[in-house]
Amino acid sequence: PHIMSLLELISKFVDKKTACSIFGHKIVTVRNVTNHFKEYKCTVCQVELTNDLQDKKTFLTPRLKEINETLLNHYTRKHLSSM
């Protein structure tokens, strides 16, 4: 049986973004772009994040998503060619 977290329970009665702004996001990693860059998502309000050059989480804008995709493609090609 799944035990609901306090944040998940509160988000049933309050707007999800409001719940996250009060209690903080419940962040999970959704994709490893490289060893240094990842993409994250809040399981409550669905906000998407990535880490910047200082390793701080920042909103995943369309431009950053495109940069991450390019990094992933480059990293994958480089990794496959070294095998």
Side-chain angles (χ1 to χ4, degrees):
H2 174 70
I3 299 174
M4 207 176 286
S5 74
L6 178 61
L7 181 57
E8 290 169 327
L9 180 64
I10 290 169
S11 71
K12 299 273 185 216
F13 303 102
V14 178
D15 175 72
K16 293 178 187 310
K17 289 186 181 183
T18 303
C20 286
S21 69
I22 295 169
F23 298 102
H25 295 285
K26 186 174 180 186
I27 302 294
V28 294
T29 303
V30 292
R31 180 162 84 154
N32 291 322
V33 179
T34 68
N35 290 335
H36 304 288
F37 292 98
K38 296 178 176 20
E39 290 181 1
Y40 309 92
K41 190 175 211 174
C42 175
T43 60
V44 177
C45 72
Q46 307 305 310
V47 69
E48 294 178 311
L49 305 163
T50 190
N51 47 320
D52 63 16
L53 294 172
Q54 288 79 36
D55 203 30
K56 295 189 173 133
K57 289 185 180 66
T58 185
F59 290 104
L60 184 60
T61 63
R63 187 171 193 301
L64 288 175
K65 196 169 193 114
E66 185 179 324
I67 290 169
N68 282 355
E69 196 62 41
T70 303
L71 276 171
L72 180 64
N73 290 337
H74 177 74
Y75 185 78
T76 304
R77 271 195 308 266
K78 184 177 176 187
H79 184 67
L80 287 175
S81 68
S82 66
M83 295 178 114

